[in-house]
Amino acid sequence: MEVHLNELARLRIEGHPQGVTSVCSAHPIVLRAALRHGRQQESTVLIEATCNQVNHLGGYTGMTPSDFASLVMKIAAEEGCPEKLIVLGGDHLGPNPWCDRPAEEAMAEAETMVAAYVDAGFRKIHLDASMGCKGEPMALDDVTTARRAARLAAVAEASARKTGGAMPVYVIGTEVPPPGGADHPLTTIEPTAAVAALKTIEVHRRIFAAADLGQAFGRAIGLVVQPGVEFGNHNVIVYDSSKIEALQSVLTEEPQFVFEAHSTDYQGAEPLSALVKDGFPILKVGPELTFVLREALYGLDAIASDLLPGYGQRPLYAAMEVLMLDQPGNWRRHYHGTEAEMRWLRHYSLSDRIRYYWASAEAQEAVRGLCEALRGQSVPLPLFWQHMPAAQHFADAPLDPDEVLIWKVTKSLADYHAACGVGKNEQSGSR
């Protein structure tokens, strides 16, 4: 069933919490899996892009907000997913991509970016102006952050009135783990203090009112806080609901809001369900989906190596290793250790920084070669048992590699949708 974002707080208050999965990925196969699953389950498909990933200058994907929206809608049409089920969101919209510039210059870019997002049909807007710009502290105080967030909200409001359609809903707050996960093994993560969460809301409410943006703040549905979950390169900190009793009181004092949980990747079905029950109905997932996609790709690469004479020994893996060594900018600062340790991290780290490389021409050619080699082949059951046991139902029949990849991503999505309580005849997946 559909879940409207502005109903999440009411559903929680009424004792019937439901949630929505926020798919944070630009990979076409991940998007296809999410849209197909949404169509099959008749459930809301929330797809979000970040300020670094997609912006008016292209971001690291090379896509503007309009490009990204067009890609999503093209795949949705191919999958028969109704547009009414799709919500587009902008994550961490603020000056972060330009924080090496003076504040006014960075904020001017951020305002142009926000306008481009709203013009392209994005209606869930996470306002994040917490990062310092040139000459400023790394993290800004609440008042400065809220003033800059209000500037961006004013732009979003004006753009929405100009383009028509629904007015945006907003998420505020910025206390989140490092983008893409931590760089070191983790032992514990402290949840956000209730007093800090209440202060964030109070300061934003006051500053939005002073800027004549009271109506916009009335459409603020979510607050980003740290629920005590995180993943690093090596491990995952699993949600512990006993640690957030004080934080839950914020939702009692501020019934307009729900919490938005970032970095919920790799939590699994039970912790995700607990998060929704405890007031975190917006579950953001990104690296997990491309991690399991890479698992499937590498599994098929190994199968093809064992099955097909002349295919070679894991040429997809070899191509990705060459590519990442040739262009180390997306992983070098984040992976540490011996050469052997960094080699396995490049391919298997939970932060999944290999995801930045799949759009390159070299990677696409290697994936295309793999899929063409296996398409229509009958893979014996023992090879699936060896390299991808859970995919054994694809054995002994003409293989469509694309269906294997979508199936693998959907298994992760199924845990999220089951936790959100929105699936129709939902079967929880497992890794």
Side-chain angles (χ1 to χ4, degrees), residues 1 3 17-23 33-47 85 268-269 272-273 276 281 283 285 289 409-429:
M1 60 181 282
V3 177
Q18 294 188 33
V20 62
T21 308
S22 171
V23 174
L35 291 160
R36 181 180 298 183
H37 192 252
R39 184 253 301 166
Q40 291 171 342
Q41 302 300 322
E42 298 177 6
S43 61
T44 299
V45 184
L46 172 58
I47 295 174
L85 293 179
L272 292 172
S273 296
V276 173
L283 301 175
V285 57
L289 301 179
V409 175
T410 303
K411 281 174 63 66
S412 282
L413 289 172
D415 276 348
Y416 278 85
H417 283 264
C420 290
V422 299
K424 181 184 73 173
N425 300 323
E426 190 70 63
Q427 294 295 318
S428 175

mmCIF file of all heavy atoms in Angstrom, residues 1 3 17-23 33-47 85 268-269 272-273 276 281 283 285 289 409-429:
data_model
loop_
_atom_site.group_PDB
_atom_site.id
_atom_site.type_symbol
_atom_site.label_atom_id
_atom_site.label_comp_id
_atom_site.label_asym_id
_atom_site.label_seq_id
_atom_site.Cartn_x
_atom_site.Cartn_y
_atom_site.Cartn_z
ATOM 1 N N MET A 1 0.836 -1.197 0.000
ATOM 2 C CA MET A 1 0.000 0.000 0.000
ATOM 3 C C MET A 1 0.872 1.248 0.000
ATOM 4 O O MET A 1 2.031 1.204 0.373
ATOM 5 C CB MET A 1 -0.918 0.010 1.225
ATOM 6 C CG MET A 1 -0.200 -0.007 2.561
ATOM 7 S SD MET A 1 -1.291 -0.023 3.987
ATOM 8 C CE MET A 1 -1.771 1.696 4.021
ATOM 9 N N VAL A 3 2.206 4.798 1.256
ATOM 10 C CA VAL A 3 2.378 5.508 2.515
ATOM 11 C C VAL A 3 2.784 6.932 2.181
ATOM 12 O O VAL A 3 3.832 7.152 1.561
ATOM 13 C CB VAL A 3 3.443 4.851 3.407
ATOM 14 C CG1 VAL A 3 3.642 5.670 4.673
ATOM 15 C CG2 VAL A 3 3.040 3.438 3.768
ATOM 16 N N PRO A 17 2.409 2.184 13.433
ATOM 17 C CA PRO A 17 3.545 2.746 12.690
ATOM 18 C C PRO A 17 3.792 2.020 11.370
ATOM 19 O O PRO A 17 3.753 0.790 11.308
ATOM 20 C CB PRO A 17 4.723 2.560 13.650
ATOM 21 C CG PRO A 17 4.308 1.434 14.549
ATOM 22 C CD PRO A 17 2.831 1.563 14.702
ATOM 23 N N GLN A 18 3.987 2.796 10.348
ATOM 24 C CA GLN A 18 4.407 2.281 9.061
ATOM 25 C C GLN A 18 5.594 3.110 8.598
ATOM 26 O O GLN A 18 5.808 4.219 9.072
ATOM 27 C CB GLN A 18 3.269 2.350 8.041
ATOM 28 C CG GLN A 18 2.105 1.429 8.376
ATOM 29 C CD GLN A 18 1.083 1.370 7.262
ATOM 30 O OE1 GLN A 18 1.423 1.469 6.091
ATOM 31 N NE2 GLN A 18 -0.171 1.203 7.626
ATOM 32 N N GLY A 19 6.333 2.567 7.696
ATOM 33 C CA GLY A 19 7.525 3.252 7.251
ATOM 34 C C GLY A 19 7.669 3.238 5.752
ATOM 35 O O GLY A 19 6.824 2.724 5.026
ATOM 36 N N VAL A 20 8.781 3.822 5.308
ATOM 37 C CA VAL A 20 9.090 3.857 3.889
ATOM 38 C C VAL A 20 10.596 3.688 3.730
ATOM 39 O O VAL A 20 11.379 4.227 4.521
ATOM 40 C CB VAL A 20 8.590 5.167 3.238
ATOM 41 C CG1 VAL A 20 9.280 6.383 3.848
ATOM 42 C CG2 VAL A 20 8.770 5.133 1.731
ATOM 43 N N THR A 21 10.984 2.906 2.728
ATOM 44 C CA THR A 21 12.394 2.702 2.422
ATOM 45 C C THR A 21 12.871 3.820 1.522
ATOM 46 O O THR A 21 12.269 4.094 0.485
ATOM 47 C CB THR A 21 12.596 1.356 1.697
ATOM 48 O OG1 THR A 21 11.980 0.322 2.452
ATOM 49 C CG2 THR A 21 14.073 1.058 1.523
ATOM 50 N N SER A 22 13.952 4.477 1.910
ATOM 51 C CA SER A 22 14.557 5.505 1.080
ATOM 52 C C SER A 22 15.743 4.891 0.356
ATOM 53 O O SER A 22 16.771 4.591 0.963
ATOM 54 C CB SER A 22 15.012 6.688 1.936
ATOM 55 O OG SER A 22 15.773 7.593 1.163
ATOM 56 N N VAL A 23 15.581 4.673 -0.947
ATOM 57 C CA VAL A 23 16.624 4.065 -1.768
ATOM 58 C C VAL A 23 17.563 5.165 -2.245
ATOM 59 O O VAL A 23 17.176 6.033 -3.031
ATOM 60 C CB VAL A 23 16.012 3.317 -2.962
ATOM 61 C CG1 VAL A 23 17.101 2.799 -3.902
ATOM 62 C CG2 VAL A 23 15.136 2.167 -2.464
ATOM 63 N N ALA A 33 15.226 -2.531 -9.683
ATOM 64 C CA ALA A 33 14.749 -3.454 -8.653
ATOM 65 C C ALA A 33 13.756 -2.763 -7.720
ATOM 66 O O ALA A 33 12.717 -3.333 -7.363
ATOM 67 C CB ALA A 33 15.938 -4.011 -7.864
ATOM 68 N N ALA A 34 14.071 -1.526 -7.306
ATOM 69 C CA ALA A 34 13.193 -0.801 -6.391
ATOM 70 C C ALA A 34 11.847 -0.498 -7.039
ATOM 71 O O ALA A 34 10.785 -0.650 -6.408
ATOM 72 C CB ALA A 34 13.865 0.492 -5.937
ATOM 73 N N LEU A 35 11.859 -0.082 -8.281
ATOM 74 C CA LEU A 35 10.617 0.276 -8.966
ATOM 75 C C LEU A 35 9.780 -0.968 -9.281
ATOM 76 O O LEU A 35 8.550 -0.940 -9.168
ATOM 77 C CB LEU A 35 10.939 1.063 -10.234
ATOM 78 C CG LEU A 35 11.507 2.458 -9.962
ATOM 79 C CD1 LEU A 35 12.246 2.994 -11.182
ATOM 80 C CD2 LEU A 35 10.401 3.419 -9.542
ATOM 81 N N ARG A 36 10.427 -2.046 -9.657
ATOM 82 C CA ARG A 36 9.682 -3.284 -9.893
ATOM 83 C C ARG A 36 9.054 -3.795 -8.605
ATOM 84 O O ARG A 36 7.894 -4.207 -8.579
ATOM 85 C CB ARG A 36 10.601 -4.359 -10.489
ATOM 86 C CG ARG A 36 9.898 -5.668 -10.791
ATOM 87 C CD ARG A 36 10.842 -6.703 -11.384
ATOM 88 N NE ARG A 36 11.393 -6.265 -12.660
ATOM 89 C CZ ARG A 36 12.217 -7.021 -13.413
ATOM 90 N NH1 ARG A 36 12.569 -8.223 -12.993
ATOM 91 N NH2 ARG A 36 12.677 -6.561 -14.559
ATOM 92 N N HIS A 37 9.828 -3.757 -7.536
ATOM 93 C CA HIS A 37 9.319 -4.217 -6.247
ATOM 94 C C HIS A 37 8.160 -3.338 -5.770
ATOM 95 O O HIS A 37 7.161 -3.839 -5.255
ATOM 96 C CB HIS A 37 10.448 -4.207 -5.220
ATOM 97 C CG HIS A 37 10.128 -4.904 -3.949
ATOM 98 N ND1 HIS A 37 9.898 -4.237 -2.763
ATOM 99 C CD2 HIS A 37 9.986 -6.216 -3.658
ATOM 100 C CE1 HIS A 37 9.637 -5.102 -1.804
ATOM 101 N NE2 HIS A 37 9.688 -6.312 -2.316
ATOM 102 N N GLY A 38 8.294 -2.024 -5.973
ATOM 103 C CA GLY A 38 7.201 -1.136 -5.602
ATOM 104 C C GLY A 38 5.936 -1.418 -6.378
ATOM 105 O O GLY A 38 4.831 -1.410 -5.831
ATOM 106 N N ARG A 39 6.079 -1.678 -7.673
ATOM 107 C CA ARG A 39 4.912 -2.013 -8.490
ATOM 108 C C ARG A 39 4.284 -3.327 -8.034
ATOM 109 O O ARG A 39 3.064 -3.432 -7.892
ATOM 110 C CB ARG A 39 5.319 -2.092 -9.957
ATOM 111 C CG ARG A 39 4.153 -2.342 -10.922
ATOM 112 C CD ARG A 39 4.178 -3.756 -11.456
ATOM 113 N NE ARG A 39 5.416 -4.034 -12.162
ATOM 114 C CZ ARG A 39 5.809 -5.259 -12.485
ATOM 115 N NH1 ARG A 39 5.078 -6.312 -12.130
ATOM 116 N NH2 ARG A 39 6.957 -5.454 -13.109
ATOM 117 N N GLN A 40 5.117 -4.325 -7.765
ATOM 118 C CA GLN A 40 4.589 -5.621 -7.344
ATOM 119 C C GLN A 40 3.879 -5.548 -5.999
ATOM 120 O O GLN A 40 2.861 -6.206 -5.784
ATOM 121 C CB GLN A 40 5.735 -6.643 -7.285
ATOM 122 C CG GLN A 40 6.306 -7.014 -8.633
ATOM 123 C CD GLN A 40 7.569 -7.838 -8.527
ATOM 124 O OE1 GLN A 40 8.219 -7.880 -7.475
ATOM 125 N NE2 GLN A 40 7.944 -8.506 -9.621
ATOM 126 N N GLN A 41 4.418 -4.732 -5.094
ATOM 127 C CA GLN A 41 3.852 -4.619 -3.755
ATOM 128 C C GLN A 41 2.858 -3.467 -3.625
ATOM 129 O O GLN A 41 2.271 -3.282 -2.567
ATOM 130 C CB GLN A 41 4.976 -4.430 -2.728
ATOM 131 C CG GLN A 41 6.003 -5.545 -2.718
ATOM 132 C CD GLN A 41 5.392 -6.888 -2.403
ATOM 133 O OE1 GLN A 41 4.481 -6.984 -1.570
ATOM 134 N NE2 GLN A 41 5.875 -7.928 -3.061
ATOM 135 N N GLU A 42 2.700 -2.702 -4.690
ATOM 136 C CA GLU A 42 1.813 -1.532 -4.683
ATOM 137 C C GLU A 42 2.157 -0.604 -3.521
ATOM 138 O O GLU A 42 1.283 -0.098 -2.816
ATOM 139 C CB GLU A 42 0.348 -1.966 -4.616
ATOM 140 C CG GLU A 42 -0.090 -2.797 -5.815
ATOM 141 C CD GLU A 42 -1.526 -3.279 -5.719
ATOM 142 O OE1 GLU A 42 -2.223 -2.875 -4.758
ATOM 143 O OE2 GLU A 42 -1.945 -4.047 -6.595
ATOM 144 N N SER A 43 3.463 -0.388 -3.334
ATOM 145 C CA SER A 43 3.929 0.417 -2.202
ATOM 146 C C SER A 43 4.730 1.616 -2.694
ATOM 147 O O SER A 43 5.257 1.634 -3.805
ATOM 148 C CB SER A 43 4.795 -0.434 -1.262
ATOM 149 O OG SER A 43 5.940 -0.920 -1.932
ATOM 150 N N THR A 44 4.809 2.612 -1.845
ATOM 151 C CA THR A 44 5.541 3.840 -2.157
ATOM 152 C C THR A 44 7.015 3.531 -2.431
ATOM 153 O O THR A 44 7.650 2.762 -1.703
ATOM 154 C CB THR A 44 5.423 4.832 -0.990
ATOM 155 O OG1 THR A 44 4.052 5.156 -0.803
ATOM 156 C CG2 THR A 44 6.220 6.100 -1.267
ATOM 157 N N VAL A 45 7.547 4.143 -3.481
ATOM 158 C CA VAL A 45 8.967 4.001 -3.820
ATOM 159 C C VAL A 45 9.612 5.370 -3.636
ATOM 160 O O VAL A 45 9.419 6.277 -4.440
ATOM 161 C CB VAL A 45 9.161 3.512 -5.268
ATOM 162 C CG1 VAL A 45 10.649 3.277 -5.539
ATOM 163 C CG2 VAL A 45 8.361 2.244 -5.527
ATOM 164 N N LEU A 46 10.358 5.521 -2.564
ATOM 165 C CA LEU A 46 11.077 6.759 -2.285
ATOM 166 C C LEU A 46 12.513 6.592 -2.765
ATOM 167 O O LEU A 46 13.238 5.716 -2.291
ATOM 168 C CB LEU A 46 11.044 7.074 -0.788
ATOM 169 C CG LEU A 46 11.918 8.236 -0.297
ATOM 170 C CD1 LEU A 46 11.560 9.536 -0.992
ATOM 171 C CD2 LEU A 46 11.787 8.382 1.223
ATOM 172 N N ILE A 47 12.900 7.409 -3.726
ATOM 173 C CA ILE A 47 14.243 7.353 -4.305
ATOM 174 C C ILE A 47 14.906 8.706 -4.093
ATOM 175 O O ILE A 47 14.336 9.739 -4.452
ATOM 176 C CB ILE A 47 14.191 6.997 -5.793
ATOM 177 C CG1 ILE A 47 13.633 5.577 -5.971
ATOM 178 C CG2 ILE A 47 15.569 7.116 -6.431
ATOM 179 C CD1 ILE A 47 13.394 5.178 -7.409
ATOM 180 N N LEU A 85 3.136 6.245 -7.251
ATOM 181 C CA LEU A 85 3.833 5.550 -6.182
ATOM 182 C C LEU A 85 5.229 6.109 -5.932
ATOM 183 O O LEU A 85 5.867 5.758 -4.941
ATOM 184 C CB LEU A 85 3.971 4.063 -6.516
ATOM 185 C CG LEU A 85 2.693 3.228 -6.569
ATOM 186 C CD1 LEU A 85 3.022 1.786 -6.948
ATOM 187 C CD2 LEU A 85 1.942 3.280 -5.246
ATOM 188 N N GLY A 268 19.566 -5.776 8.830
ATOM 189 C CA GLY A 268 18.761 -6.985 8.856
ATOM 190 C C GLY A 268 17.337 -6.718 9.292
ATOM 191 O O GLY A 268 16.981 -5.637 9.777
ATOM 192 N N ALA A 269 16.471 -7.720 9.122
ATOM 193 C CA ALA A 269 15.029 -7.529 9.248
ATOM 194 C C ALA A 269 14.588 -7.092 10.643
ATOM 195 O O ALA A 269 13.802 -6.149 10.793
ATOM 196 C CB ALA A 269 14.303 -8.818 8.838
ATOM 197 N N LEU A 272 15.623 -3.471 11.685
ATOM 198 C CA LEU A 272 14.879 -2.511 10.866
ATOM 199 C C LEU A 272 13.443 -2.387 11.362
ATOM 200 O O LEU A 272 12.897 -1.277 11.445
ATOM 201 C CB LEU A 272 14.900 -2.938 9.400
ATOM 202 C CG LEU A 272 16.257 -2.871 8.686
ATOM 203 C CD1 LEU A 272 16.160 -3.509 7.306
ATOM 204 C CD2 LEU A 272 16.756 -1.433 8.570
ATOM 205 N N SER A 273 12.816 -3.497 11.686
ATOM 206 C CA SER A 273 11.451 -3.448 12.216
ATOM 207 C C SER A 273 11.398 -2.684 13.529
ATOM 208 O O SER A 273 10.463 -1.910 13.780
ATOM 209 C CB SER A 273 10.915 -4.874 12.416
ATOM 210 O OG SER A 273 10.798 -5.557 11.188
ATOM 211 N N VAL A 276 11.494 1.121 12.899
ATOM 212 C CA VAL A 276 10.189 1.683 12.498
ATOM 213 C C VAL A 276 9.270 1.774 13.701
ATOM 214 O O VAL A 276 8.604 2.801 13.912
ATOM 215 C CB VAL A 276 9.567 0.823 11.382
ATOM 216 C CG1 VAL A 276 8.148 1.291 11.074
ATOM 217 C CG2 VAL A 276 10.420 0.891 10.115
ATOM 218 N N PRO A 281 10.609 5.808 10.928
ATOM 219 C CA PRO A 281 9.945 5.157 9.807
ATOM 220 C C PRO A 281 10.573 5.440 8.448
ATOM 221 O O PRO A 281 10.178 4.821 7.457
ATOM 222 C CB PRO A 281 8.525 5.730 9.876
ATOM 223 C CG PRO A 281 8.713 7.097 10.440
ATOM 224 C CD PRO A 281 9.840 6.964 11.438
ATOM 225 N N LEU A 283 13.733 4.856 6.499
ATOM 226 C CA LEU A 283 14.935 4.038 6.569
ATOM 227 C C LEU A 283 15.756 4.241 5.301
ATOM 228 O O LEU A 283 15.349 3.824 4.216
ATOM 229 C CB LEU A 283 14.565 2.559 6.709
ATOM 230 C CG LEU A 283 13.717 2.172 7.923
ATOM 231 C CD1 LEU A 283 13.335 0.699 7.831
ATOM 232 C CD2 LEU A 283 14.461 2.447 9.225
ATOM 233 N N VAL A 285 18.822 3.556 2.810
ATOM 234 C CA VAL A 285 19.744 2.486 2.463
ATOM 235 C C VAL A 285 20.388 2.823 1.128
ATOM 236 O O VAL A 285 19.739 3.326 0.220
ATOM 237 C CB VAL A 285 19.035 1.122 2.396
ATOM 238 C CG1 VAL A 285 17.885 1.136 1.407
ATOM 239 C CG2 VAL A 285 20.017 0.003 2.063
ATOM 240 N N LEU A 289 22.778 -1.937 -1.058
ATOM 241 C CA LEU A 289 22.149 -2.370 -2.303
ATOM 242 C C LEU A 289 23.174 -2.566 -3.414
ATOM 243 O O LEU A 289 23.065 -3.513 -4.205
ATOM 244 C CB LEU A 289 21.077 -1.366 -2.723
ATOM 245 C CG LEU A 289 19.961 -1.148 -1.693
ATOM 246 C CD1 LEU A 289 18.957 -0.119 -2.206
ATOM 247 C CD2 LEU A 289 19.271 -2.456 -1.336
ATOM 248 N N VAL A 409 19.257 -7.746 -5.465
ATOM 249 C CA VAL A 409 18.954 -6.460 -4.835
ATOM 250 C C VAL A 409 17.593 -6.514 -4.145
ATOM 251 O O VAL A 409 17.417 -5.985 -3.033
ATOM 252 C CB VAL A 409 18.999 -5.330 -5.880
ATOM 253 C CG1 VAL A 409 18.562 -4.004 -5.263
ATOM 254 C CG2 VAL A 409 20.397 -5.200 -6.470
ATOM 255 N N THR A 410 16.631 -7.173 -4.773
ATOM 256 C CA THR A 410 15.284 -7.244 -4.212
ATOM 257 C C THR A 410 15.269 -7.985 -2.889
ATOM 258 O O THR A 410 14.449 -7.677 -2.009
ATOM 259 C CB THR A 410 14.325 -7.902 -5.219
ATOM 260 O OG1 THR A 410 14.357 -7.171 -6.438
ATOM 261 C CG2 THR A 410 12.895 -7.925 -4.691
ATOM 262 N N LYS A 411 16.154 -8.962 -2.698
ATOM 263 C CA LYS A 411 16.213 -9.661 -1.414
ATOM 264 C C LYS A 411 16.498 -8.693 -0.271
ATOM 265 O O LYS A 411 15.920 -8.809 0.817
ATOM 266 C CB LYS A 411 17.282 -10.756 -1.454
ATOM 267 C CG LYS A 411 16.852 -12.021 -2.169
ATOM 268 C CD LYS A 411 18.002 -13.008 -2.310
ATOM 269 C CE LYS A 411 18.535 -13.501 -0.983
ATOM 270 N NZ LYS A 411 17.542 -14.316 -0.234
ATOM 271 N N SER A 412 17.387 -7.730 -0.499
ATOM 272 C CA SER A 412 17.641 -6.723 0.536
ATOM 273 C C SER A 412 16.453 -5.788 0.692
ATOM 274 O O SER A 412 16.045 -5.449 1.811
ATOM 275 C CB SER A 412 18.898 -5.917 0.206
ATOM 276 O OG SER A 412 20.065 -6.649 0.508
ATOM 277 N N LEU A 413 15.897 -5.354 -0.428
ATOM 278 C CA LEU A 413 14.745 -4.459 -0.357
ATOM 279 C C LEU A 413 13.579 -5.106 0.385
ATOM 280 O O LEU A 413 12.819 -4.417 1.076
ATOM 281 C CB LEU A 413 14.304 -4.062 -1.768
ATOM 282 C CG LEU A 413 15.226 -3.107 -2.527
ATOM 283 C CD1 LEU A 413 14.763 -2.967 -3.970
ATOM 284 C CD2 LEU A 413 15.264 -1.744 -1.846
ATOM 285 N N ALA A 414 13.430 -6.414 0.261
ATOM 286 C CA ALA A 414 12.317 -7.096 0.910
ATOM 287 C C ALA A 414 12.381 -6.978 2.424
ATOM 288 O O ALA A 414 11.353 -6.825 3.096
ATOM 289 C CB ALA A 414 12.287 -8.569 0.494
ATOM 290 N N ASP A 415 13.593 -7.026 2.995
ATOM 291 C CA ASP A 415 13.730 -6.829 4.435
ATOM 292 C C ASP A 415 13.249 -5.435 4.839
ATOM 293 O O ASP A 415 12.577 -5.260 5.865
ATOM 294 C CB ASP A 415 15.185 -7.006 4.868
ATOM 295 C CG ASP A 415 15.554 -8.466 5.107
ATOM 296 O OD1 ASP A 415 14.653 -9.312 5.170
ATOM 297 O OD2 ASP A 415 16.763 -8.747 5.232
ATOM 298 N N TYR A 416 13.612 -4.450 4.051
ATOM 299 C CA TYR A 416 13.213 -3.076 4.357
ATOM 300 C C TYR A 416 11.706 -2.905 4.254
ATOM 301 O O TYR A 416 11.067 -2.317 5.137
ATOM 302 C CB TYR A 416 13.937 -2.103 3.415
ATOM 303 C CG TYR A 416 15.328 -1.780 3.887
ATOM 304 C CD1 TYR A 416 16.404 -2.603 3.569
ATOM 305 C CD2 TYR A 416 15.573 -0.676 4.684
ATOM 306 C CE1 TYR A 416 17.679 -2.333 4.025
ATOM 307 C CE2 TYR A 416 16.849 -0.395 5.146
ATOM 308 C CZ TYR A 416 17.896 -1.220 4.819
ATOM 309 O OH TYR A 416 19.150 -0.950 5.287
ATOM 310 N N HIS A 417 11.126 -3.402 3.190
ATOM 311 C CA HIS A 417 9.693 -3.216 3.009
ATOM 312 C C HIS A 417 8.899 -4.003 4.041
ATOM 313 O O HIS A 417 7.857 -3.537 4.508
ATOM 314 C CB HIS A 417 9.294 -3.592 1.587
ATOM 315 C CG HIS A 417 9.658 -2.546 0.581
ATOM 316 N ND1 HIS A 417 8.767 -1.596 0.137
ATOM 317 C CD2 HIS A 417 10.833 -2.275 -0.036
ATOM 318 C CE1 HIS A 417 9.379 -0.794 -0.731
ATOM 319 N NE2 HIS A 417 10.623 -1.181 -0.844
ATOM 320 N N ALA A 418 9.370 -5.181 4.409
ATOM 321 C CA ALA A 418 8.703 -5.933 5.462
ATOM 322 C C ALA A 418 8.765 -5.168 6.780
ATOM 323 O O ALA A 418 7.780 -5.099 7.525
ATOM 324 C CB ALA A 418 9.337 -7.312 5.608
ATOM 325 N N ALA A 419 9.926 -4.580 7.083
ATOM 326 C CA ALA A 419 10.073 -3.808 8.316
ATOM 327 C C ALA A 419 9.157 -2.598 8.323
ATOM 328 O O ALA A 419 8.616 -2.198 9.362
ATOM 329 C CB ALA A 419 11.521 -3.363 8.476
ATOM 330 N N CYS A 420 8.961 -2.005 7.151
ATOM 331 C CA CYS A 420 8.110 -0.821 7.055
ATOM 332 C C CYS A 420 6.631 -1.165 7.174
ATOM 333 O O CYS A 420 5.795 -0.266 7.342
ATOM 334 C CB CYS A 420 8.367 -0.096 5.734
ATOM 335 S SG CYS A 420 9.977 0.720 5.659
ATOM 336 N N GLY A 421 6.289 -2.429 7.052
ATOM 337 C CA GLY A 421 4.895 -2.829 7.195
ATOM 338 C C GLY A 421 4.031 -2.409 6.039
ATOM 339 O O GLY A 421 2.818 -2.255 6.185
ATOM 340 N N VAL A 422 4.642 -2.244 4.850
ATOM 341 C CA VAL A 422 3.869 -1.732 3.711
ATOM 342 C C VAL A 422 3.750 -2.750 2.599
ATOM 343 O O VAL A 422 3.112 -2.477 1.594
ATOM 344 C CB VAL A 422 4.491 -0.441 3.132
ATOM 345 C CG1 VAL A 422 4.498 0.637 4.176
ATOM 346 C CG2 VAL A 422 5.892 -0.706 2.611
ATOM 347 N N GLY A 423 4.358 -3.935 2.753
ATOM 348 C CA GLY A 423 4.355 -4.887 1.654
ATOM 349 C C GLY A 423 3.044 -5.622 1.503
ATOM 350 O O GLY A 423 2.289 -5.840 2.461
ATOM 351 N N LYS A 424 2.740 -6.046 0.285
ATOM 352 C CA LYS A 424 1.575 -6.866 -0.012
ATOM 353 C C LYS A 424 2.074 -8.284 -0.240
ATOM 354 O O LYS A 424 2.864 -8.548 -1.129
ATOM 355 C CB LYS A 424 0.870 -6.366 -1.275
ATOM 356 C CG LYS A 424 -0.373 -7.178 -1.638
ATOM 357 C CD LYS A 424 -0.980 -6.695 -2.951
ATOM 358 C CE LYS A 424 -0.118 -7.123 -4.109
ATOM 359 N NZ LYS A 424 -0.748 -6.815 -5.415
ATOM 360 N N ASN A 425 1.632 -9.240 0.643
ATOM 361 C CA ASN A 425 2.128 -10.614 0.561
ATOM 362 C C ASN A 425 3.655 -10.642 0.624
ATOM 363 O O ASN A 425 4.328 -11.355 -0.109
ATOM 364 C CB ASN A 425 1.661 -11.294 -0.734
ATOM 365 C CG ASN A 425 0.158 -11.358 -0.836
ATOM 366 O OD1 ASN A 425 -0.522 -11.552 0.163
ATOM 367 N ND2 ASN A 425 -0.360 -11.206 -2.045
ATOM 368 N N GLU A 426 4.203 -9.826 1.533
ATOM 369 C CA GLU A 426 5.656 -9.628 1.595
ATOM 370 C C GLU A 426 6.341 -10.854 2.177
ATOM 371 O O GLU A 426 5.881 -11.449 3.144
ATOM 372 C CB GLU A 426 5.954 -8.427 2.484
ATOM 373 C CG GLU A 426 7.391 -7.963 2.440
ATOM 374 C CD GLU A 426 7.734 -7.319 1.124
ATOM 375 O OE1 GLU A 426 7.144 -6.287 0.817
ATOM 376 O OE2 GLU A 426 8.587 -7.869 0.415
ATOM 377 N N GLN A 427 7.441 -11.246 1.557
ATOM 378 C CA GLN A 427 8.287 -12.281 2.086
ATOM 379 C C GLN A 427 9.621 -11.645 2.444
ATOM 380 O O GLN A 427 10.296 -11.096 1.596
ATOM 381 C CB GLN A 427 8.509 -13.401 1.063
ATOM 382 C CG GLN A 427 7.241 -14.165 0.732
ATOM 383 C CD GLN A 427 6.712 -14.924 1.922
ATOM 384 O OE1 GLN A 427 7.465 -15.531 2.668
ATOM 385 N NE2 GLN A 427 5.412 -14.894 2.116
ATOM 386 N N SER A 428 9.999 -11.736 3.715
ATOM 387 C CA SER A 428 11.259 -11.120 4.132
ATOM 388 C C SER A 428 12.424 -11.868 3.524
ATOM 389 O O SER A 428 12.463 -13.098 3.509
ATOM 390 C CB SER A 428 11.369 -11.156 5.658
ATOM 391 O OG SER A 428 12.614 -10.685 6.074
ATOM 392 N N GLY A 429 13.387 -11.107 3.013
ATOM 393 C CA GLY A 429 14.591 -11.692 2.458
ATOM 394 C C GLY A 429 15.637 -11.867 3.534
ATOM 395 O O GLY A 429 15.476 -11.463 4.667
#
